[in-house]
Amino acid sequence: MEPVNIGICGLGTVGGGTFDVLNRNAKEITRRAGREIRVSHIGSRSPKTDYDLQQVCVLADVFDVATAPEVDIVVELIGGCDVALDLILTAIEQGKHVVTANKALIAEHGNEIFAAAQEKGVMVAFEAAVAGGIPIIKTIREGLTANKIDWLAGIINGTGNFILTEMREKGRPFIDVLAEAQELGYAEADPTFDVEGIDAAHKLTILASIAFGIPLQFEKVYTEGISHISAQDILFAEELGYRIKHLGIAKRVPEGIELRVHPTLVPERLLLANVNGVMNAIMVHGDAVGPTLYYGAGAGGEATASAVVADIVDVVRTLTIDSDDRVPHLAFKSDCLSDVRIMPIESVVTSYYLRMEVLDQPGVMANVARILSELDISIEAIIQKEPQIKGSEVAIILLTRNVEESKMNEAIAEIESLDSTLGDIVKIRAESLIN
Amino acid sequence: MEPVNIGICGLGTVGGGTFDVLNRNAKEITRRAGREIRVSHIGSRSPKTDYDLQQVCVLADVFDVATAPEVDIVVELIGGCDVALDLILTAIEQGKHVVTANKALIAEHGNEIFAAAQEKGVMVAFEAAVAGGIPIIKTIREGLTANKIDWLAGIINGTGNFILTEMREKGRPFIDVLAEAQELGYAEADPTFDVEGIDAAHKLTILASIAFGIPLQFEKVYTEGISHISAQDILFAEELGYRIKHLGIAKRVPEGIELRVHPTLVPERLLLANVNGVMNAIMVHGDAVGPTLYYGAGAGGEATASAVVADIVDVVRTLTIDSDDRVPHLAFKSDCLSDVRIMPIESVVTSYYLRMEVLDQPGVMANVARILSELDISIEAIIQKEPQIKGSEVAIILLTRNVEESKMNEAIAEIESLDSTLGDIVKIRAESLIN
């Protein structure tokens, strides 16, 4: 059979990794795919000189790659939402299949992209957009296709997980570890996307769509970062038997679907609680399969390339298939997506870790307990820390049972209004992730 | 589009689970597959009366299902190797696609089955044969297709893992926990397949074949069970920072491929070491993706049905594809399988946990150390337990660095021949599973 021609647009970390992996494992990949897959074109303004590009047509303008007649599959690895969107729509318009690692683009413009692809009968594959080398898209979309997915919860931002891991293991403050992560190249100069949860929200948007058969709706994800997490809270959580992880959670509830990214207390005996450093892991709970977990590198040139190349091989394999028989982009046929309500965060039901600084005087804890009780909020555990100096302030740490967020906020406001409460109450959600 | 007709042969735990899941999630599955999948035939001599079988043609002879003209996909869930082999070959002969959960059959007769399927241009899917609901076949075959797989190591027998977990957590002896596992229905009346590693060897055979592109060769798997593991060894391993797990390991080395099932010391900080109870997990290390892990229920009606139904949907999706473009049964094109040497266990290089009972007298440890040193075997850790009664016997626990098994055996024989050594030395392999 004829070789399939790949045009790689963007030769950064992932683009370079993809080029390397396709070359290094060419024999292995051909043995599997049944035909040769070769990089015929590269779009890059400044291709690194340490690649052997003799057999490749290098073009400065990525749009020339997308329109080159010889190219069968366009691989978009330039990132960002402006040029990348134009590029992908151009490639689709030319009847070319597309592979991309661009989570922001898929999360924010995927509905438009997939509609265009469907009209043209081409595929847009995006395994690399979520959790790097872990084949989580394929797993949910194909491996768990028998299941009604109940929920998924994932550590889907390596930078954030590295920071929380270092804070826990070494008791270091957030700001210190962030600086180190930036030095190590794990975090960008502007770390907002990672530490404020935007990157995780992009990925959660995609996962939720393929898990539940709903359109991509990034704007409805509740997003909270980890910059306000203190080493102290990590320690107190541990006393209660929990680890704090920055999770993306998508959950089916009777009234709709919850989509939320926030720091979360997770029982320490769970595998998910023990995923450390820059690694990613996603728990997926299906009604037939029960709890499952998928773990691996969430970033890095070669790990992400692993997913990009898997997508390329998948596309190659379906070149002869009726386009109606292909795995749908978002797992469910586009005319079968359902318009389920996305729950506002105020309606979410979960349990809460609260930490409050209070005056060390009699009756304070009784007052707090009374407020919670009046709002029907049950307490799972309560710890009062001994004051450093007798009669000064003390910390009360509370773990509640499940309660609606709006009610929890009401209780917090009331406790904060007490004269004995000093400053704001720290609130972190907790999830048992059992069923 | 026309519905696809499924014939389920065998209505036991998995067959019943498959029927239930296909019915319960029919709407969800149709939204994904794009066409209706319905159970048209069931082959069972005694179908349970609590199923609603009004719309189904129930036949006592499974061969009548395999030859029924209306059936598109035959689902073999009767187990065993005799009738099941005939049944699958009959279905293939009739030009029908096959889905099976039968690990023994695939491991021992897969080469023959896939050759027949290839000739007829039909698919034989077997996701449910390994690790129940975890989509590990799909993951290795498609998700990690970019990778040269370096090794994989898995907890792929839930019964064995349940027994080792109980032994560790409660300090109970093997024989007690086995009896409990039998009562709970986790272990068969004849537990040989599970506790002696045969079931794991079947699964490892399949995993190794799709990971490395080698033919199925069950007879070459080195297989050792867990019945000789004592609660004491589990405890000593823990002192050294390890857990004992019953692993199936397939590893590419310069001289060939290692295929082995045996109890293994695993560093306790690894996720794999923390997979407890009846759960399964498989680590897969690829050259591009690095280490990954897949976790879930390895058995049970609905979890296994999750894999069976995923296979059914996969087959449905490729009904219109050129058969050459389908994912090859064993991940690599059948004419691309390579005849790599399977290493005899004597040539395997790994580290070892040794426990020996010796006389409590001067010079004993020095003698042991001298024998190891003369054979160039380095010691990673050594513990001598205080004797219960002064002057009686003591236990020496050793952890070696990497050494070839034949050399380790030589050292063991020499140490056992010392007058100061009492009885046989316990030898358990240890793996770091780092890269």
Side-chain angles (χ1 to χ4, degrees), chain A residues 24-25 31-32 34 138 142 145-148 213 252 287 292-293 295 306 317 320-321 325 333 336, chain B residues 24-25 28 31-32 34 138 142 145-148 213 287 292-293 295 306 317 320-321 325 333 336:
Chain A
R24 187 177 73 231
N25 291 347
R31 284 172 67 204
R32 292 188 177 111
K138 178 176 283 285
E142 303 172 37
T145 198
N147 292 265
K148 208 168 175 213
R252 193 197 295 268
D287 69 339
T292 60
L293 177 135
Y295 164 91
S306 171
R317 281 190 173 130
T320 64
I321 208 172
D325 278 339
K333 294 285 193 183
C336 294
Chain B
R24 187 178 71 229
N25 290 347
E28 196 92 353
R31 282 172 68 204
R32 292 187 177 111
K138 177 176 283 285
E142 304 171 38
T145 199
N147 292 266
K148 209 168 173 212
D287 69 340
T292 59
L293 179 136
Y295 164 92
S306 171
R317 280 190 173 131
T320 62
I321 208 173
D325 279 339
K333 293 286 195 181
C336 293

Side-chain angles (χ1 to χ4, degrees), chain A residues 173-362:
Chain A
F174 171 82
I175 203 74
D176 268 26
V177 185
L178 173 60
E180 191 197 337
Q182 286 170 321
E183 265 171 51
L184 289 169
Y186 294 157
E188 307 288 330
D190 175 4
T192 316
F193 259 52
D194 289 323
V195 302
E196 295 307 335
I198 301 160
D199 175 75
H202 281 140
K203 294 165 182 168
L204 184 71
T205 300
I206 299 172
L207 290 176
S209 183
I210 61 170
F212 301 125
I214 54 175
L216 296 154
Q217 35 206 330
F218 168 68
E219 68 286 356
K220 293 196 185 152
V221 180
Y222 170 79
T223 305
E224 185 182 311
I226 55 168
S227 52
H228 64 290
I229 299 293
S230 71
Q232 199 184 11
D233 289 317
I234 292 176
L235 209 69
F236 289 149
E238 206 149 348
E239 274 187 47
L240 294 163
Y242 291 82
R243 300 268 167 87
I244 298 181
K245 292 291 177 189
H246 200 196
L247 297 189
I249 299 172
K251 192 171 172 184
R252 193 197 295 268
V253 292
E255 305 79 21
I257 285 170
E258 300 176 1
L259 295 181
R260 44 195 172 101
V261 171
H262 54 69
T264 315
L265 271 73
V266 180
E268 65 188 359
R269 68 178 184 286
L270 292 186
L271 291 187
L272 194 65
N274 293 281
V275 171
N276 292 320
V278 293
M279 300 304 277
N280 281 200
I282 300 111
M283 279 188 85
V284 185
H285 195 284
D287 69 339
V289 76
T292 60
L293 177 135
Y294 311 90
Y295 164 91
E302 292 238 336
T304 310
S306 171
V308 169
V309 173
D311 270 351
I312 292 173
V313 173
D314 266 3
V315 172
V316 167
R317 281 190 173 130
T318 57
L319 290 176
T320 64
I321 208 172
D322 279 10
S323 64
D324 253 9
D325 278 339
R326 288 192 190 126
V327 182
H329 289 113
L330 292 174
F332 293 74
K333 294 285 193 183
S334 55
D335 53 358
C336 294
L337 295 186
S338 60
D339 190 22
V340 187
R341 176 178 178 231
I342 308 301
M343 309 292 290
I345 191 70
E346 291 73 23
S347 308
V348 163
V349 174
T350 185
S351 54
Y352 295 85
Y353 162 100
L354 305 179
R355 176 170 58 82
M356 54 195 81
E357 304 295 325
V358 299
L359 290 176
D360 182 26
Q361 61 189 32

Side-chain angles (χ1 to χ4, degrees), chain B residues 290-352:
Chain B
T292 59
L293 179 136
Y294 310 91
Y295 164 92
E302 292 238 337
T304 310
S306 171
V308 169
V309 173
D311 270 351
I312 292 173
V313 174
D314 266 3
V315 172
V316 168
R317 280 190 173 131
T318 58
L319 290 176
T320 62
I321 208 173
D322 279 7
S323 64
D324 253 8
D325 279 339
R326 287 188 191 131
V327 182
H329 290 112
L330 292 174
F332 293 75
K333 293 286 195 181
S334 55
D335 54 357
C336 293
L337 296 186
S338 61
D339 190 21
V340 186
R341 175 176 178 234
I342 307 301
M343 309 292 290
I345 190 72
E346 292 74 22
S347 307
V348 162
V349 174
T350 185
S351 54
Y352 295 86

Side-chain angles (χ1 to χ4, degrees), chain A residues 96-130:
Chain A
K96 296 188 194 307
H97 302 281
V98 173
V99 173
T100 176
N102 195 327
K103 53 215 121 186
L105 185 64
I106 295 296
E108 298 187 29
H109 302 279
N111 297 322
E112 174 189 356
I113 291 170
F114 298 138
Q118 172 129 352
E119 209 181 299
K120 274 290 190 174
V122 298
M123 289 185 69
V124 176
F126 52 93
E127 179 67 75
V130 183

Side-chain angles (χ1 to χ4, degrees), chain A residues 79-107:
Chain A
C81 278
D82 302 331
V83 182
L85 178 59
D86 276 357
L87 180 70
I88 287 180
L89 292 177
T90 303
I92 291 170
E93 183 56 39
Q94 298 280 317
K96 296 188 194 307
H97 302 281
V98 173
V99 173
T100 176
N102 195 327
K103 53 215 121 186
L105 185 64
I106 295 296

